[in-house]
Each structure stands twice: as structure tokens, then as C-alpha cells.
Amino acid sequence: MDILSHLTIPSPVTLLKTPWTEAAGIELYLKRDDLIHPIISGNKWRKLSGIFDHYAKSDYDSITTFGGAYSNHLVATAASCAILQVPCTGIVRGEEPKNENSVLKICRLYGMELEYVSREAYKESNRTEGVIQRVLYIAEGGAGKLGTIGCHDILRETDTSSIDKIFVACGTGTTISGLATYAREFALTSEVCGVQVLKGDGYIAADLEQEYGVEGVTVYDEYHCGGYAKTNEELIQFIKKFTRETGVLLDPIYTGKMMLAIHKLCLNGSIKKGERIMAVHTGGLTGWFGKSAELNV
Ligand SMILES: *Cc1c(COP(=O)(O)O)cnc(C)c1O
């Protein structure tokens, strides 16, 4: 795919040191999918790669996809479609605002057509999957089986032979299901661990089993900090400190919660001295252009 010359793939792996990783005696590696592209958020590219492969092999004319007003997936799709010259439409949840936020402005800059639909109508239409009049419909967040395929590359391009635990933030669970499927296929010894960023007891773990037939994955559901796109003072202070200490910016919606969970799991002894952890930085930094612009950091 000629889009690869626009992307940094394979993404590098960085060994990070902070006072808390030193105190815990762990090695913390970060798989830098945030460096894949400034706007095409890390795991959103991983999900789109399989989707675009499928698009190229079939007889489609355009892509239509779905997202909220601050969606990393919408903006990633808009940028990828501009590079590949694929016409695309974004169906945005909610009424059209007087002033579009910067995430949606960037979608338009890349040439995505935006259509606003009421929350009720959105729920119905996001169920649309497959092909209608040669339009490929992709669910919110790039979720679904096609989206898992490219997530294999996160592990395929990385030597994980000495890694004890691999961590990733989970929204729809598509990325972790790709990681877990690959880990099983290639009999990797690392444990795959997810941090749920939405409220809801064990819903990712249940989805993984039911939708993807994936087992043996650990999903932590207690580190959502109040729910999807919610933050609390502890999370913001943690991100602030981490960013200053490492020079790596985390986003407040996904990767910040994942890293805070890793920190807390060190403190409560679930991650033990001497363990080697690889966390996936799934990107999401455009999150700071959206609602988080209001946060007091
Ligand atoms: C969308 C997103 C996720 C969640 O990925 P899923 O495949 O939906 O679980 C994680 N991190 C970032 C930065 C994201 O933008």
C-alpha cells in the first residue's frame, strides 16, 4: 500500500525510566504506535490497515464510518482516505454544533464529508455493516473482525520473547483481540493485559470470549477513572508527572488510564519486581484537541 511511505512502521520501542518504575524494579518498554503518524492515531491505523486491504481487493467506491464529535477513529479515517484518495463520509453522533471542534475541522480539511445525526438515529445506523451500493460501512472505532487483522502487526514487528506482560487500553476491545489472537497463534509466552477505559463490569472480557473466541487474557475493569472520556484529579496529575519525567505525552482518554493502571498494579504487587512490561502507546493525542482542551493541567 502506498500509504506506508506516509507512516513510521515498524514503530520503535522505547525503554522508559521513571522514579516509580525504578522503585518497583520493573523494566517498562513502550511500543510507540503514537509515532506512526501525527493524526492517524496508532491503533486506529492498525485497525484501518486490514480494512483498507479489504477495500482494495473489492469493488467499493467509498467508505462511510461513524464516530462521536471527538473521535480518533474519524480523524484517522479522514487522513488515511486523503492519502489513499478514497472518498469518505463520517456520520457524527449528535446535532450539528454552531462551531465545529478542531477534531472535526481536521476531518473536513482532509476532505471527509460530515453528516450529523441525532443520538437515536446514530444508534440505529452504526449497526450498518457491510456493503450498500458499493459503500463500505465501518463501525464506530473501526471495531469488528476486519479491524483486528492489522493489530497483529503490533506484535509481529516486535521481539516480545523476554516480555512478561503486554498492556493495552481497551475501548471496543478490537485491538486487544487482535493482540490476543496473534499471541495465541504464535504461542507467545507474554501475558496479554487490557485496561478498560469505559465503565462496565468485565464487558471486554465477555466480548473477547463471545465475539472473538479469545481466552486467557487479563482485563482490568477498575481503572476507568469515572467512565469513558471522564477524568479525575489523580489521572491528570499522574499524566502531568509522567510526561515531564519521560518526555512521552499520554492522552487522557486511553493511554493515561492504561499507564496509571500499570503504576497501581506495581504498587499493589500484581506486577512484581524484575518483570518486563511492554505497554502499547496506541496514540490518541488528538484527544487533547477535543474536550480535554478544557482540562486544567
Ligand atoms: C480507540 C483507541 C483505543 C481503543 O481501542 P479498541 O480497539 O477500541 O479497544 C485505545 N487507545 C487509543 C489511543 C484509541 O484512540
Side-chain angles (χ1 to χ4, degrees):
M1 267 191 289
D2 47 2
I3 190 171
L4 289 178
S5 66
H6 292 250
L7 307 175
T8 306
I9 286 181
S11 66
V13 175
T14 310
L15 173 61
L16 294 179
K17 280 200 170 97
T18 73
W20 63 264
T21 57
E22 297 283 283
I26 65 162
E27 281 175 30
L28 177 62
Y29 296 89
L30 197 59
K31 173 70 172 162
R32 304 296 304 278
D33 276 14
D34 57 317
L35 299 180
I36 289 179
H37 188 274
I39 297 295
I40 305 172
S41 181
N43 73 325
K44 297 304 182 282
W45 166 251
R46 301 295 188 179
K47 293 193 258 189
L48 286 169
S49 80
I51 291 168
F52 282 119
D53 276 343
H54 170 76
Y55 181 92
K57 280 190 217 127
S58 318
D59 201 13
Y60 297 119
D61 295 331
S62 68
I63 283 179
T64 292
T65 191
F66 302 87
Y70 299 100
S71 165
N72 294 333
H73 165 70
L74 278 185
V75 74
T77 306
S80 307
C81 282
I83 293 170
L84 290 163
Q85 291 295 291
V86 171
C88 66
T89 301
I91 312 277
V92 187
R93 185 179 57 229
E95 305 304 324
E96 184 163 359
K98 277 209 193 75
N99 293 310
E100 269 172 359
N101 68 50
S102 11
V103 175
L104 295 174
K105 280 195 181 127
I106 296 172
C107 288
R108 279 201 199 275
L109 279 170
Y110 279 116
M112 179 178 254
E113 298 282 334
L114 297 180
E115 283 173 23
Y116 292 87
V117 298
S118 69
R119 281 166 193 275
E120 301 78 60
Y122 179 91
K123 247 190 183 163
E124 255 328 291
S125 51
N126 183 42
R127 296 214 181 91
T128 318
E129 248 189 290
V131 197
I132 299 172
Q133 293 178 338
R134 310 215 309 190
V135 179
L136 174 62
Y137 282 80
I138 305 165
E140 187 176 66
K145 293 229 162 65
L146 265 185
T148 64
I149 298 168
C151 296
H152 294 189
D153 293 341
I154 301 173
L155 297 181
R156 198 196 314 277
E157 63 190 39
T158 315
D159 177 10
T160 57
S161 53
S162 68
I163 299 293
D164 299 298
K165 295 187 170 101
I166 298 165
F167 273 83
V168 70
C170 306
T172 65
T174 307
T175 307
I176 195 169
S177 120
L179 297 181
T181 321
Y182 182 86
R184 185 182 51 196
E185 248 169 65
F186 289 87
L188 302 188
T189 52
S190 338
E191 181 185 353
V192 176
C193 305
V195 176
Q196 215 178 279
V197 304
L198 283 80
K199 233 188 236 174
D201 290 344
Y203 81 91
I204 293 277
D207 272 10
L208 282 175
E209 276 193 45
Q210 282 154 23
E211 304 251 331
Y212 300 102
V214 167
E215 285 173 29
V217 170
T218 310
V219 183
Y220 297 96
D221 62 4
E222 65 270 46
Y223 299 106
H224 52 70
C225 302
Y228 185 64
K230 300 273 194 318
T231 56
N232 58 29
E233 192 53 25
E234 183 187 28
L235 175 68
I236 298 305
Q237 289 310 323
F238 175 79
I239 291 176
K240 215 167 146 175
K241 210 155 177 282
F242 186 88
T243 301
R244 287 179 188 185
E245 285 168 356
T246 62
V248 175
L249 186 58
L250 302 173
D251 82 290
I253 299 170
Y254 295 99
T255 55
K257 293 181 184 179
M258 169 193 68
M259 199 56 80
L260 178 58
I262 294 174
H263 173 47
K264 290 191 161 183
L265 291 165
C266 286
L267 293 178
N268 77 15
S270 305
I271 295 175
K272 294 185 181 57
K273 194 172 170 193
E275 283 197 292
R276 293 198 179 93
I277 306 296
M278 187 179 86
V280 184
H281 194 320
T282 41
L285 298 174
T286 48
W288 288 110
F289 298 166
K291 251 207 163 68
S292 322
E294 295 155 22
L295 290 175
N296 189 13
V297 299

Short mmCIF file of all heavy atoms in Angstrom, two decimals, residues 41-44 47 71-73 140-144 147 151 168-177 195 197-198 203-204 228 251 253-255 280-286, ligand 1:
data_model
loop_
_atom_site.label_atom_id
_atom_site.label_comp_id
_atom_site.label_asym_id
_atom_site.label_seq_id
_atom_site.Cartn_x
_atom_site.Cartn_y
_atom_site.Cartn_z
N SER A 41 -4.05 8.12 14.49
CA SER A 41 -3.73 7.61 15.80
C SER A 41 -3.32 6.14 15.73
O SER A 41 -3.94 5.36 15.01
CB SER A 41 -4.98 7.78 16.66
OG SER A 41 -4.74 7.33 17.96
N GLY A 42 -2.28 5.77 16.49
CA GLY A 42 -1.64 4.47 16.42
C GLY A 42 -2.51 3.27 16.13
O GLY A 42 -2.43 2.65 15.07
N ASN A 43 -3.36 2.90 17.08
CA ASN A 43 -4.10 1.65 16.86
C ASN A 43 -5.23 1.86 15.86
O ASN A 43 -5.76 0.89 15.32
CB ASN A 43 -4.61 1.07 18.17
CG ASN A 43 -5.77 1.83 18.76
OD1 ASN A 43 -5.84 3.05 18.64
ND2 ASN A 43 -6.68 1.13 19.40
N LYS A 44 -5.58 3.12 15.59
CA LYS A 44 -6.60 3.34 14.57
C LYS A 44 -6.02 2.99 13.20
O LYS A 44 -6.71 2.46 12.34
CB LYS A 44 -7.11 4.78 14.60
CG LYS A 44 -7.80 5.15 15.90
CD LYS A 44 -8.96 4.19 16.22
CE LYS A 44 -9.71 4.55 17.48
NZ LYS A 44 -9.02 4.16 18.72
N LYS A 47 -6.04 -0.82 12.94
CA LYS A 47 -7.36 -1.36 12.59
C LYS A 47 -7.70 -1.06 11.13
O LYS A 47 -8.24 -1.90 10.41
CB LYS A 47 -8.43 -0.78 13.52
CG LYS A 47 -8.25 -1.28 14.96
CD LYS A 47 -9.48 -0.98 15.81
CE LYS A 47 -9.26 0.21 16.70
NZ LYS A 47 -10.37 0.37 17.68
N SER A 71 -13.89 11.92 17.88
CA SER A 71 -13.44 10.56 17.58
C SER A 71 -12.05 10.49 16.94
O SER A 71 -11.80 11.09 15.89
CB SER A 71 -14.47 9.92 16.64
OG SER A 71 -13.95 8.77 16.04
N ASN A 72 -11.15 9.73 17.59
CA ASN A 72 -9.83 9.48 17.00
C ASN A 72 -9.98 8.68 15.71
O ASN A 72 -9.18 8.81 14.79
CB ASN A 72 -8.96 8.68 17.96
CG ASN A 72 -8.62 9.46 19.22
OD1 ASN A 72 -8.59 10.68 19.20
ND2 ASN A 72 -8.38 8.75 20.32
N HIS A 73 -10.99 7.82 15.68
CA HIS A 73 -11.20 6.97 14.51
C HIS A 73 -11.64 7.79 13.30
O HIS A 73 -11.16 7.56 12.19
CB HIS A 73 -12.24 5.89 14.85
CG HIS A 73 -12.79 5.20 13.65
ND1 HIS A 73 -12.03 4.34 12.88
CD2 HIS A 73 -14.01 5.26 13.06
CE1 HIS A 73 -12.77 3.89 11.87
NE2 HIS A 73 -13.97 4.43 11.95
N GLU A 140 -18.19 2.29 14.30
CA GLU A 140 -17.53 3.22 15.22
C GLU A 140 -16.23 2.63 15.75
O GLU A 140 -16.19 1.45 16.09
CB GLU A 140 -18.52 3.39 16.38
CG GLU A 140 -18.20 4.41 17.39
CD GLU A 140 -19.35 4.50 18.39
OE1 GLU A 140 -19.59 3.51 19.12
OE2 GLU A 140 -19.99 5.54 18.44
N GLY A 141 -15.19 3.44 15.80
CA GLY A 141 -13.93 2.98 16.39
C GLY A 141 -13.18 1.98 15.53
O GLY A 141 -12.14 1.47 15.93
N GLY A 142 -13.68 1.71 14.31
CA GLY A 142 -13.01 0.72 13.47
C GLY A 142 -13.19 -0.69 14.03
O GLY A 142 -12.40 -1.59 13.77
N ALA A 143 -14.25 -0.86 14.84
CA ALA A 143 -14.47 -2.13 15.53
C ALA A 143 -14.88 -3.24 14.56
O ALA A 143 -15.42 -2.97 13.50
CB ALA A 143 -15.54 -1.96 16.59
N GLY A 144 -14.60 -4.46 14.95
CA GLY A 144 -15.03 -5.61 14.15
C GLY A 144 -13.87 -6.49 13.74
O GLY A 144 -12.70 -6.13 13.95
N GLY A 147 -11.04 -5.23 11.59
CA GLY A 147 -10.17 -4.32 12.33
C GLY A 147 -9.10 -5.03 13.15
O GLY A 147 -8.07 -4.44 13.48
N CYS A 151 -3.97 -5.43 13.71
CA CYS A 151 -3.43 -5.33 15.08
C CYS A 151 -2.39 -6.42 15.33
O CYS A 151 -1.56 -6.28 16.24
CB CYS A 151 -4.55 -5.39 16.10
SG CYS A 151 -5.68 -4.00 15.96
N VAL A 168 -2.46 -2.93 26.98
CA VAL A 168 -3.08 -2.04 26.01
C VAL A 168 -4.39 -1.50 26.60
O VAL A 168 -5.04 -2.17 27.40
CB VAL A 168 -3.32 -2.79 24.66
CG1 VAL A 168 -4.41 -3.85 24.77
CG2 VAL A 168 -3.64 -1.83 23.52
N ALA A 169 -4.73 -0.26 26.20
CA ALA A 169 -6.00 0.33 26.62
C ALA A 169 -7.12 -0.23 25.74
O ALA A 169 -6.92 -0.43 24.55
CB ALA A 169 -5.95 1.85 26.50
N CYS A 170 -8.29 -0.48 26.34
CA CYS A 170 -9.40 -1.09 25.58
C CYS A 170 -10.64 -0.20 25.58
O CYS A 170 -11.10 0.22 26.64
CB CYS A 170 -9.83 -2.40 26.21
SG CYS A 170 -8.51 -3.56 26.43
N GLY A 171 -11.17 0.01 24.38
CA GLY A 171 -12.46 0.69 24.23
C GLY A 171 -13.48 -0.32 23.72
O GLY A 171 -14.30 -0.84 24.46
N THR A 172 -13.37 -0.64 22.41
CA THR A 172 -14.24 -1.67 21.85
C THR A 172 -13.66 -3.07 22.08
O THR A 172 -14.37 -4.06 21.95
CB THR A 172 -14.42 -1.50 20.33
OG1 THR A 172 -13.14 -1.72 19.71
CG2 THR A 172 -14.91 -0.11 19.98
N GLY A 173 -12.35 -3.14 22.35
CA GLY A 173 -11.70 -4.44 22.55
C GLY A 173 -11.15 -5.03 21.25
O GLY A 173 -10.63 -6.15 21.25
N THR A 174 -11.25 -4.29 20.16
CA THR A 174 -10.78 -4.80 18.87
C THR A 174 -9.26 -4.98 18.87
O THR A 174 -8.74 -6.01 18.43
CB THR A 174 -11.20 -3.84 17.74
OG1 THR A 174 -12.60 -3.61 17.83
CG2 THR A 174 -10.86 -4.40 16.37
N THR A 175 -8.55 -3.98 19.40
CA THR A 175 -7.09 -4.04 19.39
C THR A 175 -6.59 -5.21 20.23
O THR A 175 -5.75 -6.00 19.78
CB THR A 175 -6.50 -2.71 19.90
OG1 THR A 175 -7.07 -1.65 19.15
CG2 THR A 175 -4.98 -2.69 19.75
N ILE A 176 -7.13 -5.34 21.45
CA ILE A 176 -6.64 -6.43 22.31
C ILE A 176 -7.02 -7.78 21.72
O ILE A 176 -6.26 -8.74 21.85
CB ILE A 176 -7.16 -6.29 23.76
CG1 ILE A 176 -6.33 -7.21 24.68
CG2 ILE A 176 -8.65 -6.59 23.90
CD1 ILE A 176 -6.54 -7.01 26.14
N SER A 177 -8.13 -7.85 21.02
CA SER A 177 -8.49 -9.15 20.45
C SER A 177 -7.51 -9.51 19.34
O SER A 177 -7.12 -10.68 19.21
CB SER A 177 -9.95 -9.13 20.00
OG SER A 177 -10.04 -9.38 18.65
N VAL A 195 -6.64 -2.73 29.78
CA VAL A 195 -7.19 -1.81 30.77
C VAL A 195 -8.43 -1.17 30.14
O VAL A 195 -8.33 -0.44 29.15
CB VAL A 195 -6.16 -0.73 31.16
CG1 VAL A 195 -6.79 0.27 32.12
CG2 VAL A 195 -4.91 -1.37 31.76
N VAL A 197 -11.28 1.34 29.53
CA VAL A 197 -11.42 2.78 29.79
C VAL A 197 -12.88 3.21 29.92
O VAL A 197 -13.17 4.37 30.14
CB VAL A 197 -10.71 3.64 28.72
CG1 VAL A 197 -9.24 3.28 28.61
CG2 VAL A 197 -11.39 3.54 27.36
N LEU A 198 -13.79 2.25 29.73
CA LEU A 198 -15.21 2.52 29.94
C LEU A 198 -15.67 1.77 31.18
O LEU A 198 -15.12 0.73 31.53
CB LEU A 198 -16.06 2.02 28.76
CG LEU A 198 -16.09 2.83 27.48
CD1 LEU A 198 -14.85 2.58 26.65
CD2 LEU A 198 -17.33 2.48 26.67
N TYR A 203 -17.02 -6.15 30.67
CA TYR A 203 -17.65 -6.30 29.35
C TYR A 203 -16.65 -6.65 28.25
O TYR A 203 -16.98 -7.38 27.32
CB TYR A 203 -18.49 -5.05 28.97
CG TYR A 203 -17.70 -3.90 28.39
CD1 TYR A 203 -17.49 -3.78 27.02
CD2 TYR A 203 -17.15 -2.94 29.22
CE1 TYR A 203 -16.75 -2.74 26.50
CE2 TYR A 203 -16.41 -1.90 28.71
CZ TYR A 203 -16.21 -1.79 27.35
OH TYR A 203 -15.47 -0.78 26.85
N ILE A 204 -15.42 -6.18 28.39
CA ILE A 204 -14.42 -6.50 27.35
C ILE A 204 -14.09 -7.99 27.41
O ILE A 204 -14.08 -8.68 26.39
CB ILE A 204 -13.12 -5.67 27.53
CG1 ILE A 204 -13.38 -4.19 27.28
CG2 ILE A 204 -12.00 -6.19 26.64
CD1 ILE A 204 -13.36 -3.75 25.85
N TYR A 228 -16.02 6.58 30.38
CA TYR A 228 -15.42 6.97 29.09
C TYR A 228 -15.27 8.48 28.98
O TYR A 228 -16.22 9.23 29.21
CB TYR A 228 -16.25 6.45 27.92
CG TYR A 228 -15.58 6.75 26.61
CD1 TYR A 228 -14.35 6.16 26.30
CD2 TYR A 228 -16.13 7.63 25.70
CE1 TYR A 228 -13.70 6.44 25.11
CE2 TYR A 228 -15.49 7.92 24.50
CZ TYR A 228 -14.27 7.32 24.22
OH TYR A 228 -13.63 7.61 23.05
N ASP A 251 -2.42 10.42 26.40
CA ASP A 251 -3.72 11.08 26.24
C ASP A 251 -4.58 10.77 27.46
O ASP A 251 -4.36 9.76 28.14
CB ASP A 251 -4.40 10.62 24.94
CG ASP A 251 -5.10 9.29 25.14
OD1 ASP A 251 -4.41 8.27 25.30
OD2 ASP A 251 -6.34 9.27 25.18
N ILE A 253 -7.71 9.92 27.67
CA ILE A 253 -8.89 9.06 27.49
C ILE A 253 -8.50 7.58 27.46
O ILE A 253 -9.25 6.73 27.94
CB ILE A 253 -9.66 9.49 26.22
CG1 ILE A 253 -10.11 10.93 26.41
CG2 ILE A 253 -10.84 8.56 25.92
CD1 ILE A 253 -10.68 11.60 25.20
N TYR A 254 -7.33 7.28 26.93
CA TYR A 254 -6.91 5.87 26.79
C TYR A 254 -5.56 5.59 27.47
O TYR A 254 -5.49 4.87 28.46
CB TYR A 254 -6.81 5.49 25.30
CG TYR A 254 -8.12 5.53 24.56
CD1 TYR A 254 -8.45 6.63 23.77
CD2 TYR A 254 -9.01 4.47 24.64
CE1 TYR A 254 -9.65 6.66 23.07
CE2 TYR A 254 -10.21 4.50 23.94
CZ TYR A 254 -10.52 5.60 23.16
OH TYR A 254 -11.70 5.62 22.48
N THR A 255 -4.49 6.14 26.89
CA THR A 255 -3.15 5.70 27.32
C THR A 255 -2.80 6.17 28.73
O THR A 255 -2.05 5.51 29.44
CB THR A 255 -2.08 6.18 26.32
OG1 THR A 255 -2.18 7.60 26.16
CG2 THR A 255 -2.27 5.52 24.96
N VAL A 280 1.55 -0.67 25.06
CA VAL A 280 1.38 -0.15 23.70
C VAL A 280 0.85 1.28 23.80
O VAL A 280 -0.21 1.51 24.39
CB VAL A 280 0.39 -1.01 22.88
CG1 VAL A 280 0.30 -0.50 21.45
CG2 VAL A 280 0.80 -2.48 22.90
N HIS A 281 1.63 2.22 23.26
CA HIS A 281 1.12 3.60 23.18
C HIS A 281 0.27 3.68 21.93
O HIS A 281 0.77 3.82 20.82
CB HIS A 281 2.26 4.62 23.14
CG HIS A 281 1.79 6.03 23.40
ND1 HIS A 281 0.60 6.51 22.88
CD2 HIS A 281 2.32 7.04 24.13
CE1 HIS A 281 0.44 7.77 23.28
NE2 HIS A 281 1.46 8.11 24.04
N THR A 282 -1.05 3.57 22.13
CA THR A 282 -1.96 3.46 20.99
C THR A 282 -2.25 4.82 20.34
O THR A 282 -3.06 4.90 19.43
CB THR A 282 -3.27 2.81 21.45
OG1 THR A 282 -3.61 3.36 22.74
CG2 THR A 282 -3.12 1.31 21.58
N GLY A 283 -1.61 5.88 20.82
CA GLY A 283 -1.78 7.20 20.19
C GLY A 283 -2.84 8.01 20.91
O GLY A 283 -2.80 8.16 22.13
N GLY A 284 -3.80 8.54 20.14
CA GLY A 284 -4.91 9.25 20.77
C GLY A 284 -4.61 10.68 21.17
O GLY A 284 -5.38 11.30 21.89
N LEU A 285 -3.47 11.20 20.70
CA LEU A 285 -3.07 12.52 21.18
C LEU A 285 -3.97 13.64 20.67
O LEU A 285 -4.02 14.72 21.26
CB LEU A 285 -1.59 12.78 20.86
CG LEU A 285 -0.68 11.75 21.56
CD1 LEU A 285 0.76 11.90 21.11
CD2 LEU A 285 -0.78 11.86 23.07
N THR A 286 -4.73 13.36 19.59
CA THR A 286 -5.71 14.36 19.15
C THR A 286 -6.80 14.55 20.20
O THR A 286 -7.57 15.51 20.12
CB THR A 286 -6.34 13.99 17.79
OG1 THR A 286 -6.76 12.62 17.84
CG2 THR A 286 -5.38 14.16 16.64
C1 LIG B 1 -9.60 3.89 20.08
C2 LIG B 1 -8.45 3.83 21.00
C3 LIG B 1 -8.24 2.73 21.84
C4 LIG B 1 -9.22 1.60 21.97
O1 LIG B 1 -9.06 0.62 21.00
P1 LIG B 1 -10.12 -0.59 20.87
O2 LIG B 1 -9.64 -1.36 19.73
O3 LIG B 1 -11.46 0.08 20.57
O4 LIG B 1 -10.19 -1.30 22.13
C5 LIG B 1 -7.09 2.72 22.62
N1 LIG B 1 -6.22 3.75 22.60
C6 LIG B 1 -6.42 4.83 21.81
C7 LIG B 1 -5.44 5.92 21.87
C8 LIG B 1 -7.53 4.91 20.98
O5 LIG B 1 -7.71 6.01 20.22
#
